[in-house]
Amino acid sequence: MENTEPREAEPKAEPAAADGEGAPPGSPAPDNESSTDGAGGNRDAEGEAEATAATRTRTRNRRIRRTALALLLILLVPLLTAETALRVNYMGDPADGTYTRNRDAIWLGHAWVDGRKDDADLAAFARRVKATGIRDLYVHTGPMEHDGTLPKSLYPKARWLIDAVHQELPGVRVQAFLGDVLATEGPDGMRLANAATRAAVVDSARQVLDAGYDGVHLDLEPLHSGDRDYLSLLDDVRAVTRPRDAQLSVAAHQIDPLPALHSVFGLFTKHPKWWSQEFFGQVARRVDQIAVMSYDTAQPLEGTYGGYVAQQTSLALEVTPPTTHLLMGLPFYYESNFDHWGHAETVAAAVRGVRLGLSRTDADRELFGVAPYIDFAATETNWDEYREGWVR
């Protein structure tokens, strides 16, 4: 770039040195690199602009980092507080006598009624449970169709199982575990708002009682808190079971660990997950047995999972009438994913949590037990922890 700075008048030339030494023709351009208007000055201006832009970028990045940190703290502080509270809830010693009341249940797979199980399997199962508190078997007999009907072809060996259990395990009841997916979070599934569908479910309940079952166990998921159609269905099914002196039992969602959490959760996801404590009580008053699915909690540590189960036990006891049999589920299976961390959700932690919740809320409750889920995925460790922690 040419220097545009005005030149000063040149002095008269001096005689050249005889030896030819001296300055080259013409005077050198003035040293204007420090000038604000020359080439060097433009570079300084550009440098200052770059420095200013860099400063702005750094400032903007600091603001972004601070905002991100603030948001992270907003999310983490309540979470860490809640997790700490659950861990504290797992501390202490259960009260003496908070063991099985011989009113436990267990969920069993479909193989018991479709022909895959035989007399030898039943004999082995009977030996395993005779020394426990298990008195109810929820045997998978469905699933029902989305219209509420139940094909009889699904349970060809039901009569064999019922008679064999009554023979091998006197006093143990066999209930038909009837389930289906509800169309609450997707286009497919059972729609309880349809009166004809509810009537068909009632007919299916009557159908399994006619087959010899001692009760009906309903597991309809995902069931959102406050579903009036579900409550209506329970009233109608109980009108069928009660005259026959049969049991009506249900698998229940967990209760809000924080007030109205299901409503808040529902704002961000189609799956609110929890029931309000009030709705849980409404369900409990309409059935003979209510079994809380107290697993798949996403708790990352054994201590926080046990504290969570203790809290769930207390919340359920507070609203379950003493005439309704309350059961807390035990994870008789191993998975590792976001919903269920196998290293955390152990039977030992669940049993201890159940005992702590029972101790703090209603230590003398008679109609109370635990319910392992599920027989075909159970390990010897699961059975050992159940017996050692709960059976006395």
Side-chain angles (χ1 to χ4, degrees):
M1 181 183 295
E2 292 184 357
N3 194 313
T4 59
E5 188 73 16
R7 294 184 132 191
E8 296 181 6
E10 295 184 2
K12 293 182 178 179
E14 296 291 334
D19 59 3
E21 294 179 3
S27 299
D31 184 2
N32 289 325
E33 290 184 1
S34 61
S35 169
T36 58
D37 294 330
N42 288 343
R43 284 195 295 272
D44 283 352
E46 291 172 0
E48 289 179 9
E50 290 175 0
T52 301
T55 300
R56 289 173 180 168
T57 300
R58 287 193 295 270
T59 301
R60 184 170 61 252
N61 289 341
R62 281 196 296 269
R63 287 174 180 168
I64 292 173
R65 286 194 295 270
R66 288 171 182 169
T67 301
L69 179 59
L71 291 174
L72 185 62
L73 290 175
I74 289 172
L75 294 173
L76 283 181
V77 169
L79 178 61
L80 291 175
T81 301
E83 291 298 289
T84 300
L86 290 178
R87 183 62 185 85
V88 171
N89 204 38
Y90 193 57
M91 299 172 66
D93 296 319
D96 292 337
T98 51
Y99 299 109
T100 184
R101 279 86 164 112
N102 293 317
R103 296 181 183 276
D104 302 333
I106 186 171
W107 280 280
L108 301 181
H110 200 83
W112 289 101
V113 294
D114 67 5
R116 285 176 285 168
K117 297 287 188 179
D118 58 21
D119 290 334
D121 295 311
L122 183 61
F125 178 75
R127 287 193 298 271
R128 184 183 289 280
V129 303
K130 275 181 179 177
T132 70
I134 293 174
R135 296 296 179 269
D136 282 280
L137 310 180
Y138 302 147
V139 185
H140 191 268
T141 306
M144 292 179 286
E145 300 292 329
H146 292 340
D147 63 1
T149 59
L150 178 68
K152 292 183 178 180
S153 59
L154 291 178
Y155 52 98
K157 296 289 293 292
R159 187 76 252 182
W160 160 79
L161 176 67
I162 296 165
D163 292 342
V165 167
H166 290 166
Q167 177 68 32
E168 292 286 336
L169 297 166
V172 172
R173 294 176 294 209
V174 184
Q175 300 191 42
F177 168 7
L178 304 180
D180 193 23
V181 175
L182 296 178
T184 51
E185 299 173 7
D188 299 323
M190 181 182 291
R191 300 179 183 276
L192 294 181
N194 188 318
T197 299
R198 296 197 305 274
V201 173
V202 174
D203 286 340
S204 293
R206 187 179 292 109
Q207 178 179 314
V208 293
L209 294 179
D210 289 343
Y213 281 97
D214 301 307
V216 177
H217 179 77
L218 295 178
D219 179 19
L220 303 175
E221 304 179 47
L223 182 65
H224 292 183
S225 184
D227 192 322
R228 305 301 304 180
D229 294 316
Y230 180 66
L231 298 180
S232 176
L233 173 65
L234 294 180
D235 290 337
D236 293 342
V237 175
R238 200 170 194 189
V240 172
T241 59
R242 179 170 282 175
R244 301 186 184 215
D245 197 26
Q247 295 290 296
L248 171 58
S249 59
V250 295
H253 287 279
Q254 297 156 29
I255 302 172
D256 282 334
L258 296 172
L261 185 59
H262 73 280
S263 298
V264 176
F265 207 68
L267 295 175
F268 303 99
T269 174
K270 292 182 179 180
H271 181 50
K273 183 177 176 69
W274 297 279
W275 286 354
S276 71
Q277 191 181 34
E278 179 185 10
F279 183 68
F280 188 96
Q282 291 172 343
V283 173
R285 290 192 292 273
R286 287 170 164 80
V287 299
D288 300 296
Q289 298 179 342
I290 184 167
V292 184
M293 296 179 285
S294 41
Y295 36 76
D296 294 344
T297 65
Q299 289 301 317
L301 302 172
E302 196 171 21
T304 59
Y305 171 62
Y308 183 87
V309 173
Q311 181 196 45
Q312 288 291 308
T313 303
S314 292
L315 291 172
L317 283 167
E318 288 171 359
V319 292
T320 301
T323 53
T324 299
H325 182 184
L326 173 64
L327 301 113
M328 302 302 297
L330 304 180
F332 266 40
Y333 62 97
Y334 186 95
E335 290 180 359
S336 278
N337 52 52
F338 182 78
D339 290 326
H340 180 104
W341 299 108
H343 65 274
E345 293 199 18
T346 65
V347 174
V351 166
R352 189 170 188 276
V354 167
R355 293 187 61 210
L356 286 168
L358 183 63
S359 302
R360 295 164 181 163
T361 313
D362 192 355
D364 297 323
R365 176 76 65 113
E366 281 299 319
L367 292 179
F368 184 86
V370 297
Y373 179 89
I374 188 168
D375 71 309
F376 59 77
T379 66
E380 288 302 322
T381 298
N382 295 153
W383 282 104
D384 289 344
E385 290 179 351
Y386 160 64
R387 285 190 297 264
E388 293 167 8
W390 182 245
V391 180
R392 287 292 187 273

